[in-house]
Amino acid sequence: MTLSRRLLAVLLAVLGIGLAVLAIGQQYCVHRWVEANAQENAEKAHRIVLAMRQVYHRQFVDDGLPIDEGRLGFLPAQVMQRIARDLQGGETIGLSVRNVAADPGDGFEKADDVEMAAIAHFRAHPQAASYFVPFAGADGQRHYLHARPIGVDQGCLGCGGAPEHGAAAVRANDRQASGDRQGDVHGIVSIRVPAAPLEAQVRARLARLLGVGVASLALLAIGMAWGVDRHVIRPLRMLERHFREAAGGNLSQRIVGLKGEFGRVGEACNRMAENLSRELARREQSDRRFRTIFEQTAVGIAIVALDGHWLRVNAKLGEMLGYSESEMLSRTLQDDTHADDVAADRDQVRRMLDGEVDSGVVEKRYIRKDGTVLWAATTMALVRQEGGEPGCLIAAVEDISRRKAAERARQESDAARDAAEAAMRAAQKVALEEQRQARRATLSLLEEATAAQVASEEAAAALRQSEERFRALVEQSIAGIYIRQDDCLRYVNPGFAAIFGYASATELIDRVAAHELVSPEDRATVVEAVGRCLDGEVRSINYTCRGVRRDGQCITVEVHARRFNYLGKVALIGLVLDITARKQAEEELLRRHDELERFNRATVGRELDMVELKKRINQLSRELGRAPPYPLLFLQPSANSDAPLGG
């Protein structure tokens, strides 16, 4: 069910609940209003009756009218029937008024059961002023009884009390005393109000009110539906359409025209889309740089699963092992490793998984597709996931076959040199000429050995530079790697940023010129070396210079770089090592060596002075005929010396 349908259902439910509440309230109000109107009408009738009784009472008793048999019929109690008939009509909605008592007479009618209950109530509660109760009449319709007590007062005692209290006209008619006392409840004023006419009036009034309420609820529901559709449904549909387009990859659309909370949500969505666009552009640029480094580096790079399967390899690694990329992805690291070196590989991986090391270098043999052996230095680093769990391995494979060949050549040269020396010693016994010839042969062999050793050292130096370039490719390396183009840093890794005191690589890329990181004293030399490499005079350069950190501190760095093509233009890819600590250690070692030399010279001088002093004391002792106190035999000349040293 859509949101609009759910909101419509909610509105209909609210409308239904409102109607139900109105209906329930109508029933409650009918009952309460009918009862209140019945009591109000009864009170009005009672006030009218009471006023008329007071008028009759004053006229009959207080004005001294002659009381005879004809006038006794006009006593207030007997006139009540006439008053009740006059009150019955349209204005009183059929109510009836009677004076009733338990013992009828003197204008009182016989009380029925409901009225007897009222009389009993007043007699039981003398302080009660009224009695109101609903009851069912003989016709089955509901009525209300409103009763007021009629007590015996002084006037009543004059009419129907003891003979000594009565008027002369009453006594002349031999009226018997009733025995009533002032304050007794003689009867009640019984006012009966039928409920049906009042209910009809109230229901008609409530029907009008209910119609107004229903119309108001309908208008309110229509207004709410229009407002919800305009201010909720339409903005939500716009947001839904935008989210669908964003989910489909279209991040160029923007939400406009919304207000209030939806406007703020739209602004947040627009900012989110802009951030996603920038993040995607940054990731695309980063991926492009990674692919450039991954594919164009001079060493083989691969991403390896923990079980040894090749997940991704660059073209250089496939070229080194003689496989295509698809063939490599179907093989494992163990398949291409010499059987004697598999155990070393597994041990290195185990140490990284156990947390002993984060990376390591293993020199091992690979088996090419054609079955030949390839010697390579393999650097492996463990990449962990966000939760710290091991994810995969990054492996860099550097071909060291030439270095291994140089080492073998050096070993063979050393063996040849040893053989030549043995031959020379043997030839010395034969003849001087043969010795000279052997010496020349030995010298020739030495020259070859020296050349082989130089070649080996050059190969080792090249290997170190290659290993440094490789380590720079790994983002987790502590060494710095950079791509320099037009004096701008197109890429640096976190290690490079850390070396120069920057919090992240983004603070350097395309923001800081490369020459600004070099001390002013060394800039000319560095610019010249970089220019020679970019112009093609040399393919690679390496130099040591002083660098400038972000906080202005000078450091000593060792730089290795080579020229390559980056995004269609000539650039340098290089490795930077912070050797400040090493330089400081060398300077400290030289300083301590100088101090030691000075200390040795000072100590030797003092020792020579002491020897001269002891020799002088021994000489004086001999002149005085005493034995020399200081033995200086260690200064005595050898047998071949010409003169003693003294003492």
Side-chain angles (χ1 to χ4, degrees):
M1 182 182 292
T2 61
L3 178 61
S4 58
R5 292 183 178 179
R6 289 198 295 269
L7 290 176
L8 180 61
V10 171
L11 289 177
L12 292 177
V14 171
L15 183 60
I17 293 172
L19 292 175
V21 171
L22 286 177
I24 295 173
Q26 180 189 19
Q27 295 299 324
Y28 176 77
C29 290
V30 165
H31 176 71
R32 298 298 297 172
W33 287 2
V34 167
E35 184 175 312
N37 287 341
Q39 191 165 2
E40 182 180 359
N41 290 333
E43 290 285 353
K44 289 179 180 178
H46 179 263
R47 286 195 294 271
I48 294 172
V49 171
L50 185 62
M52 295 179 68
R53 287 187 60 190
Q54 292 294 332
V55 171
Y56 277 100
H57 184 77
R58 293 298 179 188
Q59 290 178 352
F60 189 80
V61 178
D62 296 341
D63 293 345
L65 295 175
I67 300 175
D68 54 21
E69 203 172 309
R71 292 186 180 277
L72 289 176
F74 291 98
L75 288 173
Q78 285 136 345
V79 171
M80 283 300 300
Q81 296 179 1
R82 299 178 184 178
I83 296 173
R85 287 194 300 270
D86 294 337
L87 288 175
Q88 292 178 354
E91 294 297 329
T92 57
I93 58 173
L95 61 81
S96 64
V97 182
R98 298 193 306 161
N99 276 1
V100 297
D103 299 323
D106 294 332
F108 285 90
E109 299 180 23
K110 176 65 176 177
D112 58 15
D113 295 338
V114 179
E115 294 166 337
M116 287 299 298
I119 294 173
H121 173 77
F122 287 124
R123 288 177 177 175
H125 304 86
Q127 302 300 325
S130 64
Y131 180 76
F132 185 82
V133 64
F135 69 94
D139 55 358
Q141 299 295 324
R142 288 195 310 114
H143 293 75
Y144 293 94
L145 173 65
H146 180 80
R148 290 280 186 155
I150 299 178
V152 178
D153 57 9
Q154 186 64 34
C156 293
L157 291 176
C159 295
E164 60 271 17
H165 296 122
V170 177
R171 292 196 299 271
N173 285 279
D174 297 329
R175 188 172 182 80
Q176 299 296 323
S178 62
D180 293 331
R181 294 174 299 174
Q182 186 174 356
D184 289 345
V185 177
H186 185 63
I188 61 171
V189 178
S190 173
I191 303 175
R192 296 173 179 242
V193 182
L198 292 175
E199 288 180 354
Q201 293 180 3
V202 171
R203 290 185 185 277
R205 187 186 308 170
L206 288 177
R208 291 193 295 272
L209 293 176
L210 181 61
V212 173
V214 171
S216 300
L217 285 175
L219 291 176
L220 179 61
I222 294 172
M224 289 179 64
W226 179 83
V228 168
D229 180 72
R230 178 179 177 83
H231 299 290
V232 178
I233 300 300
R234 293 180 185 177
L236 286 177
R237 287 174 180 170
M238 182 181 294
L239 291 175
E240 180 186 9
R241 185 170 59 255
H242 175 77
F243 288 149
R244 289 183 181 275
E245 292 179 356
N250 184 9
L251 299 177
S252 61
Q253 297 295 327
R254 296 294 180 265
I255 300 174
V256 294
L258 298 183
K259 300 179 181 179
E261 291 79 0
F262 290 106
R264 290 192 290 273
V265 172
E267 293 175 359
C269 293
N270 292 338
R271 290 195 299 271
M272 181 179 65
E274 293 174 359
N275 293 335
L276 285 175
S277 298
R278 287 195 295 268
E279 180 66 18
L280 289 176
R282 188 189 66 79
R283 289 188 178 182
E284 183 178 356
Q285 185 179 13
S286 178
D287 290 342
R288 186 166 58 252
R289 289 171 178 167
F290 172 76
R291 287 193 298 270
T292 300
I293 296 172
F294 191 84
E295 294 298 336
Q296 295 189 9
T297 183
V299 298
I301 299 179
I303 299 175
V304 187
L306 296 180
D307 60 358
H309 278 86
W310 302 107
L311 299 179
R312 184 175 180 181
V313 297
N314 66 349
K316 182 63 177 178
L317 182 59
E319 178 185 347
M320 292 167 59
L321 298 181
Y323 293 99
S324 65
E325 183 178 356
S326 59
E327 290 175 332
M328 288 289 294
L329 297 181
S330 63
R331 300 178 61 81
T332 65
L333 177 64
Q334 293 81 5
D335 295 339
D336 298 324
T337 302
H338 195 279
D340 295 340
D341 296 335
V342 171
D345 258 356
R346 290 177 178 172
D347 182 67
Q348 183 67 24
V349 173
R350 179 193 58 77
R351 294 179 63 202
M352 287 190 291
L353 293 177
D354 293 343
E356 298 180 11
V357 294
D358 293 330
S359 61
V361 181
V362 177
E363 292 186 357
K364 51 181 274 189
R365 289 163 291 180
Y366 287 90
I367 305 299
R368 291 192 180 97
K369 185 177 182 179
D370 57 6
T372 59
V373 175
L374 169 70
W375 272 98
T378 303
T379 301
M380 286 191 294
L382 178 64
V383 178
R384 296 186 179 273
Q385 301 174 359
E386 293 183 358
E389 296 296 327
C392 61
L393 299 171
I394 296 179
V397 182
E398 178 78 14
D399 187 354
I400 60 173
S401 298
R402 294 178 60 187
R403 194 191 76 184
K404 287 293 184 180
E407 291 177 354
R408 287 195 300 271
R410 184 178 60 184
Q411 293 173 358
E412 293 173 358
S413 176
D414 292 341
R417 184 184 58 189
D418 294 340
E421 290 177 354
M424 182 183 64
R425 286 193 298 270
Q428 286 177 350
K429 299 179 181 179
V430 178
L432 179 61
E433 187 63 28
E434 293 180 355
Q435 183 180 17
R436 289 177 180 178
Q437 293 177 358
R439 184 177 298 173
R440 285 196 298 268
T442 302
L443 290 175
S444 177
L445 290 174
L446 286 174
E447 289 177 358
E448 294 177 359
T450 302
Q453 184 173 3
V454 170
S456 175
E457 291 175 353
E458 291 177 353
L463 174 62
R464 286 194 298 272
Q465 292 178 358
S466 178
E467 290 176 349
E468 290 169 353
R469 288 195 301 272
F470 158 70
R471 286 193 295 269
L473 295 176
V474 182
E475 288 292 335
Q476 299 180 3
S477 174
I478 62 174
I481 186 172
Y482 70 93
I483 297 177
R484 173 175 177 168
Q485 190 178 64
D486 297 333
D487 198 31
C488 292
L489 295 173
R490 300 302 185 187
Y491 170 78
V492 297
N493 71 336
F496 187 95
I499 288 175
F500 287 94
Y502 288 84
S504 64
T506 55
E507 297 179 358
L508 286 164
I509 297 175
D510 295 331
R511 295 185 178 182
V512 178
H515 73 273
E516 295 179 4
L517 302 178
V518 181
S519 175
E521 294 82 358
D522 297 340
R523 284 180 185 172
T525 304
V526 173
V527 169
E528 180 184 359
V530 171
R532 292 175 61 244
C533 187
L534 292 176
D535 293 340
E537 297 181 16
V538 293
R539 181 167 178 79
S540 62
I541 56 174
N542 60 285
Y543 56 87
T544 301
C545 67
R546 286 166 290 182
V548 180
R549 287 172 57 87
R550 187 176 188 176
D551 56 4
Q553 179 185 356
C554 285
I555 59 174
T556 304
V557 296
E558 182 179 345
V559 182
H560 301 267
R562 71 178 181 88
R563 186 168 61 95
F564 80 114
N565 193 317
Y566 179 67
L567 298 179
K569 295 179 64 177
V570 176
L572 288 181
I573 181 171
L575 176 74
V576 178
L577 296 175
D578 185 358
I579 61 172
T580 304
R582 190 181 75 187
K583 284 292 184 180
Q584 292 175 351
E586 291 176 356
E587 292 173 358
E588 179 67 16
L589 183 61
L590 290 175
R591 185 182 64 79
R592 291 182 177 274
H593 182 268
D594 292 342
E595 290 179 355
L596 182 60
E597 287 291 333
R598 289 195 298 270
F599 176 76
N600 288 337
R601 287 194 297 269
T603 302
V604 171
R606 285 195 298 270
E607 289 294 332
L608 291 175
D609 291 341
M610 289 298 297
V611 169
E612 290 297 328
L613 179 59
K614 291 179 179 180
K615 289 169 63 177
R616 182 61 180 168
I617 293 174
N618 288 345
Q619 183 66 29
L620 292 174
S621 298
R622 291 191 188 96
E623 292 176 358
L624 294 174
R626 298 179 181 176
Y630 297 104
L632 298 176
L633 297 178
F634 65 93
L635 295 175
Q636 292 297 326
S638 62
N640 298 326
S641 298
D642 296 335
L645 295 176

